[in-house]
Amino acid sequence: MFFIIMIGTCLPLSIQAQQAPKPVGPVPNARQIEWYHREIIAFFHFGMNTFTNDNEGDGKASPQLFNPTALNCKQWTNVLKKAGIPCAILVAKHADGFCNWPSAHTDYSVKNSKWKNGRGDVVKEFAAACKADGIKAGIYLGPHDRHDSRYGTPAYSDYYASQLSELLRNYGPIWEIWWDGAGADKLTTEFYTRWADTVRRLQPQCVVFGTKNSYRFADCRWVGNESGFSGDPCWSTINPNSIRDEADHIKELNEGEIDGTAYVPAEVDVSIRPSWFYHPEEDNKVKSVATLWDIYFNSVGRNSVLLLNYPPNKEGLIPAVDTQRTDSLRWLINNTFKTNLAKGASIRSLHVRGAKYNPANLVDNSESTWYAGSDAFTTDTITFQLASAKTFDVLKLQEVIELGHRTTGWSVDYSMDGKNWIAIPEATGKQSIGYKWLVRFRPVTATHVRLRITAGKACPVLHSFGIYKQPKAS
Ligand code: IPT
């Protein structure tokens, strides 16, 4: 009897205290959650332009010119394995219309090249290498086509749909399709409605990079530049019309829109060289490790996914210098983030939700245990009393993206006594968090660190807070 009374009076309250917070605003679909976890995707621009030393061929180059002397997609995927890049998108057809696979729907392809006497198939070799090395394969099938005279007509819609089917049926799982907006203004949303239907039917898990008139189908958006930086803030939400009417909304693409009605996060496409395709004269212009490190913080560190382009050369190989740069980038990432100096801290928050959502979950290196604040507040202060004085110069925050963008204002300060607090200027007055937010600053030494959540749409929910020290360059 006593127990029954206890259950009747006390349990409902404690259950309430343990309940998961409700989502706020638009939330990601399963494809977008998988996509965020890739963090970096490789892009491979390889095609007729590689052999004509061009970037935007006019579609008139003879197929005979396509002739890689040592193509080896295993070399490409080995580079990715070493660089810790889990996904890659191959250009199967760029705007010059030349097809890297022996499409049944055009003669403008590898089947009329010298390469392997017309019996080669780059997409097949790429997909096989990806499969063997556990890399997720994606495809760029240029919507714009300067070779095919049907471009922009209903017959082109058939042509493109047939090619999409070929690529999505015959090469195993395809994890992303890339709909470049460049030059593609003739293609109305009607074209893309049909093609999106093909994608969804044949590869339900395939992420769509959508631009301009493919805006309705976009799982991820263009970031508004090809230089490797997302905005600050960078919201995953945006109004679909900002994607459609791209030219007037570069800022919105770059920063997202906190009150946007759709969840379409930014994918940051940038080349490791000045151009997308290989040019020998750019061999000494490969981006430095320091530049790639900046790009990493300005893309992955700003709630976005980095799409980093490697241009394979005429042999069909990635040059050694490009591979060395991304090896070093991976070394920096791994060595920076291997030790969270907030681990072992004693951690308190103001607006406690209950034991299950204890702020200690922020440093347990697990995505499935969360800190959440009480529903009665949209702000909170979380104080970390470190095990001893620590020196750090990088900060990492991760929200639980499944529950939407919640926090809209935050700052981090540090202290040597837990009473006098000093702001970290680079981490003051910040807005978005999302999948991952990283900040770099001059090294500081502290015994206490504090995250102040100063504004939000609902109670904060984060799964990670980390402070790190960058290693000295190797
Ligand atoms: C730009 C397109 O307009 C945009 O839709 C997207 O596809 C982007 O390319 C990808 O980088 S055009 C480019 C010359 C800025």
Side-chain angles (χ1 to χ4, degrees):
M1 193 58 199
F2 175 72
F3 275 148
I4 290 166
I5 292 165
M6 283 296 287
I7 288 166
T9 55
C10 301
L11 253 189
L13 262 184
S14 64
I15 285 173
Q16 193 188 0
Q18 300 289 311
Q19 257 170 8
K22 297 218 163 49
V24 169
V27 294
N29 63 35
R31 295 187 295 277
Q32 292 167 322
I33 293 169
E34 181 278 317
W35 169 89
Y36 257 130
H37 286 83
R38 299 176 197 169
E39 301 203 355
I40 307 181
I41 304 172
F43 218 171
F44 292 121
H45 275 70
F46 182 65
M48 184 56 79
N49 290 330
T50 313
F51 298 88
T52 54
N53 207 20
D54 207 340
N55 289 302
E56 292 291 345
D58 60 9
K60 298 197 173 96
S62 162
Q64 290 284 308
L65 296 172
F66 183 90
N67 194 16
T69 49
L71 178 77
N72 179 5
C73 293
K74 279 290 286 179
Q75 188 252 358
W76 306 5
T77 53
N78 271 329
V79 169
L80 303 191
K81 272 205 305 190
K82 279 179 75 190
I85 300 180
C87 179
I89 300 175
L90 171 68
V91 170
K93 176 188 89 156
H94 205 251
D96 57 54
F98 182 79
C99 298
N100 277 349
W101 81 103
S103 173
H105 309 285
T106 180
D107 290 331
Y108 200 50
S109 83
V110 283
K111 72 186 176 200
N112 285 313
S113 73
K114 284 198 186 127
W115 182 54
K116 296 192 171 178
N117 293 318
R119 281 190 284 275
D121 183 340
V122 184
V123 176
K124 189 171 174 188
E125 295 196 22
F126 167 74
C130 285
K131 187 175 181 200
D133 280 336
I135 308 279
K136 292 173 170 172
I139 291 287
Y140 171 116
L141 182 63
H144 186 203
D145 194 317
R146 298 192 191 94
H147 177 82
D148 201 287
S149 58
R150 292 167 289 185
Y151 174 69
T153 68
Y156 184 75
S157 178
D158 297 342
Y159 172 59
Y160 190 96
S162 308
Q163 293 205 320
L164 253 187
S165 299
E166 262 182 337
L167 293 167
L168 299 179
R169 276 186 208 281
N170 301 331
Y171 297 94
I174 298 296
W175 290 89
E176 184 158 338
I177 185 89
W178 223 79
W179 280 337
D180 195 346
D185 300 275
K186 264 194 185 175
L187 304 172
T188 60
T189 299
E190 238 184 306
F191 283 80
Y192 288 105
T193 304
R194 172 171 180 201
W195 303 340
D197 182 59
T198 304
V199 174
R200 282 288 146 265
R201 208 160 20 86
L202 298 176
Q203 299 269 356
Q205 87 290 20
C206 182
V207 168
V208 172
F209 172 89
T211 56
K212 297 181 179 171
N213 288 336
S214 63
Y215 70 107
R216 276 198 203 144
F217 313 104
D219 288 315
C220 57
R221 69 176 195 260
W222 184 41
V223 74
N225 63 72
E226 296 182 340
S227 319
F229 66 92
S230 300
D232 178 4
C234 186
W235 307 104
S236 307
T237 45
I238 190 164
N239 290 309
N241 291 353
S242 302
I243 301 177
R244 187 189 60 196
D245 307 329
E246 170 189 289
D248 299 328
H249 294 279
I250 295 297
K251 184 178 157 72
E252 287 79 4
L253 290 173
N254 195 234
E255 297 184 355
E257 296 173 271
I258 178 58
D259 292 318
T261 57
Y263 193 95
V264 191
E267 189 175 86
V268 182
D269 60 315
V270 57
S271 184
I272 195 164
R273 288 166 175 245
S275 302
W276 293 105
F277 285 90
Y278 179 79
H279 306 293
E281 60 273 24
E282 293 181 356
D283 279 346
N284 58 2
K285 295 199 174 123
V286 180
K287 288 188 171 62
S288 67
V289 178
T291 299
L292 292 176
W293 193 224
D294 290 344
I295 287 175
Y296 179 80
F297 274 82
N298 290 334
S299 56
V300 177
R302 288 184 173 176
N303 186 34
S304 305
V305 168
L306 171 59
L307 176 58
L308 181 62
N309 180 63
Y310 293 92
N313 61 20
K314 281 190 187 189
E315 290 176 282
L317 299 170
I318 302 174
V321 49
D322 307 49
T323 75
Q324 285 153 9
R325 300 288 151 85
T326 55
D327 284 352
S328 300
L329 174 65
R330 175 49 58 189
W331 185 90
L332 273 175
I333 297 169
N334 289 352
N335 284 284
T336 297
F337 295 102
K338 74 176 176 216
T339 309
N340 183 355
L341 298 168
K343 206 170 163 58
S346 103
I347 310 174
R348 272 158 206 241
S349 64
L350 282 183
H351 304 312
V352 174
R353 188 178 190 90
K356 190 173 168 197
Y357 298 99
N358 192 303
N361 293 337
L362 288 167
V363 298
D364 67 358
N365 205 21
S366 157
E367 263 195 61
S368 51
T369 56
W370 310 339
Y371 143 78
S374 150
D375 283 328
F377 299 87
T378 56
T379 62
D380 205 352
T381 297
I382 304 156
T383 308
F384 300 78
Q385 184 180 344
L386 305 175
S388 58
K390 307 280 185 196
T391 300
F392 54 95
D393 54 10
V394 171
L395 174 75
K396 179 182 88 173
L397 298 182
Q398 294 192 275
E399 247 176 335
V400 173
I401 57 173
E402 289 85 344
L403 299 182
H405 272 298
R406 311 174 71 85
T407 291
T408 58
W410 58 273
S411 295
V412 171
D413 340 286
Y414 66 98
S415 168
M416 278 304 281
D417 58 11
K419 292 189 194 93
N420 299 294
W421 293 92
I422 304 167
I424 298 172
E426 294 83 352
T428 299
K430 310 304 283 182
Q431 297 175 53
S432 55
I433 302 176
Y435 173 79
K436 186 178 276 192
W437 202 272
L438 303 174
V439 186
R440 277 181 302 175
F441 39 88
R442 288 246 222 89
V444 298
T445 300
T447 53
H448 298 70
V449 189
R450 160 175 103 166
L451 168 62
R452 285 183 297 118
I453 291 171
T454 53
K457 292 188 157 190
C459 72
V461 188
L462 280 81
H463 68 78
S464 291
F465 174 92
I467 49 174
Y468 307 90
K469 181 73 191 68
Q470 294 174 70
K472 297 229 161 58
S474 62

